[in-house]
Amino acid sequence: MKLCCLRVSNLAAIRDTEIEFGPGLNVLYGPNDLGKSTLVDAIPPCVTATTHFAHCDQFISWTGAFNPVIELTFETEAQRIWRVKKEFGKSGSSLLQESRNGRDFEDVVRARKVDAKLREILGWGIAEPGGMGGGRGLPLSFLATALYPRRRRDCHAAR
């Protein structure tokens, strides 16, 4: 998977920003409290968590006016570009789109089907959370442990 672009809105102190990733190593740098860590922390929930996962304080806009939105564009192979957009919160939403040229995107799936399709595309064997009688939030797995720092798992468990 090659990251192409990350757009984040209403996440902690970030009102709205977009980062385009270049080839090779990309580095975020600058003074403290600009939101560098927040941008990095936005990537895992976009590809692994349901839209209702992010009720923890670090995902809520500091102004509290709008739900956090994370949009990630990535390439899995040549001319196979995906864009996932998730709005986190009680009225959260998910959308997965596909493009062959990186400009024209077509809707593939919405809502809970987004998480299942992402698992298929990325080859991550995480069981789908939720459903009638099922677990909620991010399942405990090696991938979840590797992608989420301890403070996130503790925050999630306290819900």
Side-chain angles (χ1 to χ4, degrees):
M1 175 171 82
K2 174 186 166 195
L3 299 181
C4 301
C5 183
L6 174 66
R7 182 165 188 187
V8 176
S9 303
N10 307 310
L11 184 65
I14 298 173
R15 181 171 294 159
D16 187 42
T17 195
E18 184 173 328
I19 296 174
E20 291 200 29
F21 297 99
L25 178 67
N26 289 257
V27 178
L28 299 175
Y29 67 93
N32 290 341
D33 295 327
L34 287 181
K36 301 178 299 292
S37 296
T38 301
L39 289 172
V40 171
D41 288 348
I43 296 170
C46 194
V47 294
T48 63
T50 65
T51 56
H52 303 290
F53 167 73
H55 287 282
C56 299
D57 291 341
Q58 69 266 21
F59 288 104
I60 297 172
S61 170
W62 287 2
T63 63
F66 302 99
N67 286 335
V69 177
I70 303 169
E71 184 177 298
L72 181 66
T73 306
F74 61 93
E75 186 175 6
T76 54
E77 56 193 77
Q79 296 183 332
R80 195 85 191 255
I81 302 161
W82 303 91
R83 180 168 57 198
V84 58
K85 180 177 180 180
K86 291 188 177 184
E87 178 178 349
F88 291 88
K90 288 185 179 183
S91 60
S93 63
S94 298
L95 172 64
L96 181 65
Q97 300 173 308
E98 183 180 13
S99 172
R100 296 292 181 180
N101 61 17
R103 291 181 306 277
D104 305 312
F105 285 86
E106 294 183 20
D107 293 359
V108 176
V109 290
R110 294 180 177 274
R112 291 183 76 70
K113 293 179 181 179
V114 169
D115 298 314
K117 186 68 176 174
L118 282 171
R119 285 191 304 278
E120 176 188 322
I121 292 166
L122 299 172
W124 292 345
I126 300 176
E128 183 174 358
M132 291 294 288
R136 297 186 52 85
L138 187 68
L140 294 177
S141 69
F142 172 76
L143 181 62
T145 303
L147 289 177
Y148 290 91
R150 180 161 176 71
R151 71 185 197 291
R152 286 226 172 41
R153 291 192 315 270
D154 290 347
C155 184
H156 174 66
R159 282 194 312 136

